[in-house]
Amino acid sequence: MEDEIDKDKLVGRREILGMLGKTGAAIAALLGGGEVAQAVVAQAQASETPAGAVTADPGPVPGYDWTKHKYAFGVDATRCIGCLRCAVAGKLENNVAFDPHHFRTWVERYGTVDGGETLIDSQNDEGNIKAAGRPDNYRFDDRYADANVTKAFFVPKLCNHCTRPACVQVCPTGATYKTEDGAVLIDHEYCIGCRYCIQACPYGARFFNEEKQVTDKCTWCYHRITKGLNPACVEVCPASARIFGDLKAPQSAIKDFIRDNRIQVLRPDTGNGPNVFYIGIDKEVL
Amino acid sequence: MPKHIARFLGLLILVIVGAVGLRYLFVAHSYYKYGSYRADSVTEISALPVQVAPSSYYQSFYPDIFATWTGGVHKAVQCVVCHGPLKVGATPKLDKPQNITELCTTCHAAFPGRPKSQPQVVVLKHAGRQVCLNCHNPHSPLLTSEGKSIVEDESEAAPGSDDFNMADASAVAAAPAKKKAPVGNVVAGQKKSLLCLTCHGLGNVIRGNNAGPNLGAQTAEHIALELRKFQSGKRPSVVMGPVANGLSSDEINDLAAYFATSATNKR
């Protein structure tokens, strides 16, 4: 009867592979007696595990397994009301200078008057700075009040946390990198402020922190998402134009968003493989 | 072994030991752990403090206001949006926003680009120089600060169109003042709601085709009242009129109950 096989005496595939590896290393050690072979044996012994157990490294964040998550972000431009609360929340959460030129996330307005050329403005535009009045306040002015607007919409933007990020490739010190769960982060201790990454980013997502002399950008609020919270901009968005979620979770808002909509990414031609997915944007949006 | 070879080997060993030693001293020990970056920096970044608190944090400190807020149409607007960043303490005191009209018009000033579903006003036409809070309760803007409807009588409201209309929306709040909230069967309502979801969606749980307003953050009173207005022809609509005519009074209550309980505007 097959049921009566003593499972403890069976040798698993992993064990056989492990034994093969160790035997090979031992032979190599006997033949060459070199350090390399010994190191291989030591490594094989270190990784020896009970059959069937998976011992993936849970990563450097205590109490959080980064191999079990893969994050993505969705932006529904048809819902964005251009209130810029996301920009404020991103600054509050991450101690970004309150001025109109440094943003972790921002919103752009695309307007077409009389079917002509599409005009783009953001909160660093002079008219909008004037409308805001204070450096800690951001708002869009009503510049199209008397115009015949044929089309207008808002597009929230942020770091795309690309699959093949150009910014990581150009960093000379390894200060910026991609984590296992999908975020692109910056190590401010290793950043030398050379700003190559600012130039490399096709989305203009990075800015220079003059005070600390390092580059900064959106981290999807990595300190929040590793604790199970949403990024600050998603948390505050009153129109639910921002969607964040885990692609590896059995069910998540972002999986539904990607499944149910005809999604787009910004500048796919650059080959960076962005992970922020948009709906409701026109071809003018870059 | 010839002397010059021995010297060369000695020098070679010295250089190797020196290089390894310097690398040990100057490269962070977690550097190549997961890739060519410092693994400790991930730990450091993930340990940063949370500044923007979820609104539920304030529930125990402001139970009354919290209840008003969750029961109203502003429940998608988190505390931090108007009151600023996280305040921690025995009773965290939230800042009162200074310039109210500026704050409200941040989201509700009418201008091109804002989606149709967003209630928008031209302030001078809507309220003249009055402050928004003269009429609206900021935590539930379809009510006054005293908790009454912002329009005294339902009949005062102008008949609306299918587009969002402030006067029309404000009429809604008359309902809870006059009669009790409709009591309906949630399960029956859910079965009946499939038709509604095509156009309206359900918050962000189910996405509609944007033909109708989002029912995600809606109260039972509002849905029941509006459906009855469609039925009676008080609010004329080519689309919703026939739909509402096919509903019995119980079915209206069921639908209202369903949308009020299961609907959420948060993803």
Side-chain angles (χ1 to χ4, degrees), chain A residues 167-179 184-194 196-197 206, chain B residues 27-28 30-42 45:
Chain A
C167 54
V168 169
Q169 199 179 2
V170 299
C171 180
T173 63
T176 187
Y177 52 88
K178 189 156 176 75
T179 61
V184 175
L185 302 179
I186 304 171
D187 178 358
H188 281 174
E189 258 181 52
Y190 265 45
C191 178
I192 54 170
C194 70
Y196 280 159
C197 52
R206 289 171 169 251
Chain B
V27 177
S30 68
Y31 196 76
Y32 286 107
K33 199 169 173 196
Y34 298 107
S36 50
Y37 61 91
R38 204 165 57 89
D40 285 351
S41 79
V42 185
I45 291 171

Side-chain angles (χ1 to χ4, degrees), chain A residues 57 59-62 66 76 78-83 85 89 92-93 95 109 132 134 137 139-142 144 149 152-154 173-174 177-179 185-187 189-190 222-224 226-227 229 232 234-238 240-243 253 257 261 279, chain B residues 26-28 31 33-34 36-55 76-78 80-81 84-85 99 101-103 105-115 117-118 203-208 210 214 265-267:
Chain A
D57 187 341
V61 182
W66 74 353
D76 185 345
T78 62
R79 287 181 176 229
C80 180
I81 58 171
C83 66
R85 295 309 95 186
L92 279 178
E93 185 69 32
N95 299 320
R109 171 166 63 182
R134 307 191 306 274
N137 187 33
R139 68 187 295 154
F140 285 102
D141 62 0
D142 195 4
Y144 297 123
V149 180
F153 55 95
F154 294 101
T173 63
Y177 52 88
K178 189 156 176 75
T179 61
L185 302 179
I186 304 171
D187 178 358
E189 258 181 52
Y190 265 45
Y222 197 71
H223 58 292
R224 292 175 67 98
T226 50
K227 295 180 181 95
L229 296 166
V234 179
E235 181 75 30
V236 302
C237 180
S240 303
R242 291 168 175 257
I243 303 99
F257 180 80
N261 292 291
I279 63 169
Chain B
F26 289 114
V27 177
Y31 196 76
K33 199 169 173 196
Y34 298 107
S36 50
Y37 61 91
R38 204 165 57 89
D40 285 351
S41 79
V42 185
T43 321
E44 287 160 21
I45 291 171
S46 66
L48 290 170
V50 170
Q51 311 272 355
V52 173
S55 296
V77 185
Q78 306 300 311
V80 63
V81 172
N99 192 339
T101 309
E102 182 196 275
L103 185 68
T105 53
T106 301
C107 297
H108 293 292
F111 59 70
R114 295 220 150 122
S117 54
Q118 172 74 358
N204 301 302
V205 183
I206 300 165
R207 307 180 59 78
N210 281 338
N214 179 3
N265 211 30
K266 289 311 285 182
R267 287 177 200 265

Side-chain angles (χ1 to χ4, degrees), chain A:
Chain A
M1 294 288 282
E2 275 182 42
D3 293 351
E4 287 165 9
I5 293 172
D6 184 359
K7 288 197 173 160
D8 293 341
K9 284 182 187 164
L10 284 177
V11 184
R13 178 175 50 89
R14 283 162 196 268
E15 281 177 302
I16 291 176
L17 286 175
M19 277 191 271
L20 277 177
K22 273 183 263 180
T23 319
I27 292 169
L30 281 175
L31 292 177
E35 280 180 33
V36 179
Q38 279 167 16
V40 171
V41 173
Q43 208 174 30
Q45 280 163 351
S47 66
E48 198 172 309
T49 54
V54 183
T55 52
D57 187 341
V61 182
Y64 167 84
D65 188 347
W66 74 353
T67 59
K68 295 206 171 113
H69 302 272
K70 195 62 142 187
Y71 296 109
F73 202 101
V75 172
D76 185 345
T78 62
R79 287 181 176 229
C80 180
I81 58 171
C83 66
L84 288 162
R85 295 309 95 186
C86 46
V88 175
K91 289 195 172 206
L92 279 178
E93 185 69 32
N94 299 291
N95 299 320
V96 179
F98 271 95
D99 66 41
H101 304 287
H102 298 81
F103 285 93
R104 285 210 165 198
T105 179
W106 68 100
V107 181
E108 290 169 5
R109 171 166 63 182
Y110 289 71
T112 315
V113 180
D114 294 327
E117 204 182 320
T118 304
L119 305 166
I120 307 168
D121 64 299
S122 191
Q123 62 282 340
N124 61 357
D125 179 272
E126 266 179 45
N128 296 335
I129 293 175
K130 216 175 147 196
R134 307 191 306 274
D136 62 339
N137 187 33
Y138 309 103
R139 68 187 295 154
F140 285 102
D141 62 0
D142 195 4
R143 66 181 60 189
Y144 297 123
D146 305 319
N148 171 28
V149 180
T150 40
K151 177 144 196 167
F153 55 95
F154 294 101
V155 181
K157 291 206 172 170
L158 66 157
C159 171
N160 283 273
H161 295 269
C162 305
T163 310
R164 297 172 293 278
C167 54
V168 169
Q169 199 179 2
V170 299
C171 180
T173 63
T176 187
Y177 52 88
K178 189 156 176 75
T179 61
E180 190 70 28
D181 46 9
V184 175
L185 302 179
I186 304 171
D187 178 358
H188 281 174
E189 258 181 52
Y190 265 45
C191 178
I192 54 170
C194 70
R195 311 179 208 197
Y196 280 159
C197 52
I198 297 179
Q199 293 186 38
C201 177
Y203 305 102
R206 289 171 169 251
F207 63 90
F208 195 67
N209 182 337
E210 279 88 0
E211 193 195 334
K212 286 166 84 179
Q213 290 291 307
V214 289
T215 311
D216 202 357
K217 71 166 189 69
C218 160
T219 58
W220 276 344
C221 288
Y222 197 71
H223 58 292
R224 292 175 67 98
I225 62 177
T226 50
K227 295 180 181 95
L229 296 166
N230 268 336
C233 58
V234 179
E235 181 75 30
V236 302
C237 180
S240 303
R242 291 168 175 257
I243 303 99
F244 182 79
D246 186 354
L247 295 176
K248 283 190 181 173
Q251 200 172 18
S252 69
I254 189 68
K255 275 168 90 174
D256 292 354
F257 180 80
I258 292 172
R259 184 195 61 202
D260 298 346
N261 292 291
R262 182 171 289 193
I263 48 166
Q264 285 172 280
V265 292
L266 302 178
R267 307 186 74 155
D269 50 309
T270 60
N272 281 254
N275 284 310
V276 176
F277 302 99
Y278 285 82
I279 63 169
I281 56 172
D282 268 15
K283 65 178 189 304
E284 289 87 0
V285 181
L286 286 176

